Amino acid sequence: MLRLIARRLLVSAVLVLLVSLLTFLLQAAAPGDTARTILGDHYSPEAHRLLAHRLHLDEPVLVQYAHWLGQALRGDLGSSPISGLDVGAEIAGRLPVTLSLIVCTTTVTAVLGVALGVLSAVRGGRIGRAVDLVSLIGYALPGFWLALVLVALLAVAVPVFPATGYVAFADAPAGWARSLVLPVATLALPGIAVFAKQTRDAMLEALSRDFVTTLRANGASRASVVLRHALRNAAIPVVTLVGLTSVGLLSGTVFVEAVFAMPGLGGLAAQATTQHDIPVIQGVVVVFTLVVVAVNLAVDLAYARLNPKVRVP
């Protein structure tokens, strides 16, 4: 197990390095630069040259990246040339919002989706067809339209939940939960449909195996067969889907944070991209990559727990 973790961490370190380099190169190749954003529409070439020199924008791209990387390896993500704020502090203040959305949405999606999928596989018939219908509807609904409908119904017509904003958990746990209901529901509904269908298919395949017939012939209870044996064998594709969902939510949070006016990393990344704020972009990309690394490592450990053969190098 330790060798598996060490190998994954080594690969992850290389991945973080390559992603940060690629992001820096793409941002440098994009039209415009930070100096033009700061100076505005009307500026003299001399003013642009002086500001670009002060910001080291006139140096080769790889030299700029090496300078940023040296700071990052010391734990310093620099400061924003646009706002002047410390990038690390800005990310630390917004990270709980994005992580709350990702963790809560993944949890709700997995729990409800797996429950519906198991119920559909065990009961079949009308329930199975209902799950298929809900899956199709949930996957087809546009996220923007769904967010607006939820706000209109549950924040305007019946003011149960806030339409915008975010409450920190440390300030008010109940307010934190209420502020996440509508954003999480917007992100979770399509995912629940996918989880339900994936779980049902995996469960049907597991329930058709010979070991299930043997367990039933030996008098094992239905609950034991379904929950302890069939669900465990069907869990690997579901765990894979959990990882893919968590990673996919990194892009989904950009949309949700904009609609519900939540101060998360998605909005910060979008704003920094339009302003060519390279230190902020680099910091957000590194954090997002670390989240992906953590999710993939958790999925690998879950594989090793469910299937010991995965532990073999």
Side-chain angles (χ1 to χ4, degrees):
M1 181 70 76
L2 292 178
R3 294 180 63 184
L4 173 66
I5 295 175
R7 189 166 61 249
R8 293 293 188 271
L9 290 177
L10 179 61
V11 173
S12 300
V14 176
L15 174 65
V16 172
L17 183 65
L18 291 177
V19 169
S20 65
L21 175 60
L22 181 61
T23 303
F24 202 97
L25 294 176
L26 291 175
Q27 185 64 25
D33 58 45
T34 308
R36 292 180 183 177
T37 302
I38 296 174
L39 293 173
D41 296 331
H42 305 288
Y43 61 89
S44 66
E46 180 64 17
H48 179 269
R49 186 186 66 79
L50 291 175
L51 183 58
H53 178 73
R54 184 165 65 87
L55 297 175
H56 304 285
L57 299 177
D58 55 350
E59 297 178 352
V61 176
L62 292 181
V63 174
Q64 296 180 48
Y65 174 74
H67 177 70
W68 173 86
L69 182 61
Q71 286 186 313
L73 291 176
R74 294 192 299 269
D76 181 13
L77 295 176
S79 59
S80 167
I82 306 296
S83 64
L85 298 176
D86 182 76
V87 174
E90 187 73 6
I91 290 176
R94 291 172 174 260
L95 183 59
V97 182
T98 301
L99 288 182
S100 295
L101 284 171
I102 293 174
V103 173
C104 292
T105 301
T106 302
T107 302
V108 170
T109 302
V111 171
L112 294 182
V114 169
L116 286 175
V118 171
L119 182 64
S120 172
V122 174
R123 296 293 180 86
R126 293 180 179 179
I127 296 180
R129 290 191 293 271
V131 169
D132 284 340
L133 179 61
V134 171
S135 299
L136 181 61
I137 294 175
Y139 201 70
L141 289 177
F144 187 81
W145 177 85
L146 178 60
L148 294 179
V149 168
L150 290 175
V151 170
L153 292 178
L154 300 177
V156 179
V158 182
V160 180
F161 304 107
T164 59
Y166 173 81
V167 178
F169 181 84
D171 295 336
W176 170 81
R178 291 181 69 250
S179 68
L180 288 175
V181 170
L182 297 185
V184 168
T186 301
L187 290 171
L189 185 57
I192 290 173
V194 175
F195 264 89
K197 190 166 181 60
Q198 178 68 49
T199 303
R200 191 194 67 171
D201 294 343
M203 283 292 295
L204 289 175
E205 196 274 334
L207 289 171
S208 66
R209 293 183 181 177
D210 293 337
F211 76 90
V212 173
T213 304
T214 303
L215 287 170
R216 287 173 175 169
N218 290 332
S221 65
R222 187 178 186 183
S224 175
V225 171
V226 172
L227 299 179
R228 291 187 57 189
H229 301 283
L231 184 57
R232 182 184 179 91
N233 281 271
I236 286 185
V238 176
V239 169
T240 302
L241 193 56
V242 169
L244 293 175
T245 299
S246 300
V247 172
L249 287 173
L250 290 174
S251 60
T253 55
V254 178
F255 151 72
V256 166
E257 289 170 6
V259 172
F260 293 98
M262 304 181 75
L265 289 181
L268 180 65
Q271 178 183 358
T273 301
T274 60
Q275 296 176 339
H276 301 280
D277 195 339
I278 294 180
V280 173
I281 295 172
Q282 287 292 110
V284 173
V285 167
V286 167
V287 171
F288 276 1
T289 306
L290 291 176
V291 172
V292 173
V293 167
V295 169
N296 287 334
L297 181 59
V299 169
D300 287 338
L301 294 177
Y303 285 163
R305 179 72 176 177
L306 294 169
N307 184 5
K309 293 180 180 179
V310 179
R311 304 177 192 177
V312 180

